[in-house]
Amino acid sequence: MSTDQFGLAGGGYVPDPDRDTTLLLDAFYDRLSEYPTAAMRARQDELEAANEHLIVDEPARHNLRLTLALVAAYEVLLPRLGREQAIDAVRAAFVEPLGDTMKQGTRAMLDTAPDAFHAMVELSRSREEYAFGKGFVFERPVDDGARYHLDVRRCFYHDVLVANEAPELTPAMCAFDANWIEAIDPDRHGFRFERRTTIGTGGTHCPFHFSRDDG
């Protein structure tokens, strides 16, 4: 199996929400295989049917599927493990299985790009359009070639979790980003990244701020 399952390393990555979501969910349920994953998947199907009205575009269809998998697993684990351990188990199953491949793929992309900052910004723009879509609201207070400061003002993941009475899972979804954030080496790649808060951790927005070291 390829160690770059998302196809990041070669550059020119274009999100494929169906493929990417399937990879994540297969890895998620594999990690939880000691628990009744058949019950989780069945509950996910029920939740998807009940939340279909939240789908605003094609990316939202896949983001709904992804988010409700976490809710379904949480509901099954909660009576077995208790709240905190259930949250931890869902977080680990979501964040960890593909963490290394995402970090390595992102690092390889940045290492080989003629301009690592530009490559990262283009990847962000691509994901905003193809992977996130209209379920998210973005503002760009700064976009000048040296800085790309993107603020997420509305998060579809959080909205779905709130609607399904599981907002405590939003930080687990925020934590997934560490898999690519940790690939950025300012000394090596010439830019830095800052995200000091997120909606899921109580912030008013999620700042995704990329800045050249000389910008």
Side-chain angles (χ1 to χ4, degrees), residues 95-131:
V95 173
E96 295 176 3
L98 295 177
D100 287 344
T101 188
M102 179 166 284
K103 182 176 180 179
Q104 292 165 9
T106 304
R107 174 65 63 87
M109 179 196 76
L110 295 175
D111 284 351
T112 58
D115 183 333
F117 171 81
H118 177 75
M120 198 71 203
V121 169
E122 289 307 301
L123 176 60
S124 178
R125 292 187 195 276
S126 180
R127 287 183 53 74
E128 290 156 36
E129 179 178 359
Y130 297 108

Side-chain angles (χ1 to χ4, degrees), residues 79-156:
R80 291 169 169 81
L81 303 180
R83 185 178 185 274
E84 294 305 318
Q85 288 189 21
I87 292 172
D88 289 346
V90 168
R91 180 189 182 281
F94 183 59
V95 173
E96 295 176 3
L98 295 177
D100 287 344
T101 188
M102 179 166 284
K103 182 176 180 179
Q104 292 165 9
T106 304
R107 174 65 63 87
M109 179 196 76
L110 295 175
D111 284 351
T112 58
D115 183 333
F117 171 81
H118 177 75
M120 198 71 203
V121 169
E122 289 307 301
L123 176 60
S124 178
R125 292 187 195 276
S126 180
R127 287 183 53 74
E128 290 156 36
E129 179 178 359
Y130 297 108
F132 297 122
K134 296 177 182 178
F136 292 77
V137 174
F138 301 111
E139 291 181 359
R140 299 169 184 82
V142 183
D143 180 9
D144 61 9
R147 296 167 297 169
Y148 185 67
H149 291 184
L150 175 76
D151 292 340
V152 180
R153 291 290 174 178
R154 181 176 181 180
C155 172
F156 182 79

